[in-house]
Amino acid sequence: VVAPQNSCDHDDYPIEDYPRFMLWATGSSHKFLYHHKSRGQFHANLVSGPVKEFDHSKLDKFKLEMPNVDVVTGEGGTDPTNPYICGIFDLGKLVPHDYDV
């Protein structure tokens, strides 16, 4: 497929050097509703190509467990006094100094 980087068509996005989601479909029509299970999306950079994945397999691992907190919900699945259970943690204090956070 050959396409200009910027078609100036208000329905098209210019092709730029950053990744974006794109739709795909197979079938005999250009209507995405028609394709049922033969459609989807993918994420790609059409200028630079795929980003090289960083190999994390050789890095040291650090296990961090959240505190054991009872999450109690009220009638209808909500708690009017605290609808969210949150925790704020300073990873700089929790993680040993030789780890990048």
Side-chain angles (χ1 to χ4, degrees):
V1 174
V2 177
Q5 279 193 289
N6 189 349
S7 68
C8 298
D9 184 333
H10 71 277
D11 290 327
D12 293 338
Y13 293 106
I15 299 171
E16 298 174 317
D17 192 13
Y18 65 88
R20 62 174 70 226
F21 283 100
M22 292 176 228
L23 301 174
W24 66 267
T26 59
S28 59
S29 169
H30 288 289
K31 295 179 181 178
F32 279 95
L33 296 175
Y34 169 79
H35 302 284
H36 302 287
K37 294 182 181 181
S38 299
R39 63 184 173 149
Q41 64 180 357
F42 64 96
H43 199 237
N45 183 328
L46 297 177
V47 176
S48 297
V51 176
K52 185 177 179 183
E53 294 283 330
F54 183 79
D55 181 11
H56 293 95
S57 65
K58 294 180 175 62
L59 296 177
D60 292 332
K61 294 181 177 40
F62 181 80
K63 185 175 182 179
L64 178 66
E65 293 183 11
M66 303 302 286
N68 197 9
V69 178
D70 290 335
V71 178
V72 181
T73 57
E75 186 176 332
T78 61
D79 179 353
T81 61
N82 183 16
Y84 303 99
I85 304 297
C86 299
I88 299 174
F89 304 93
D90 184 346
L91 294 179
K93 292 180 181 176
L94 294 173
V95 176
H97 293 291
D98 55 339
Y99 284 81
D100 288 331
V101 177

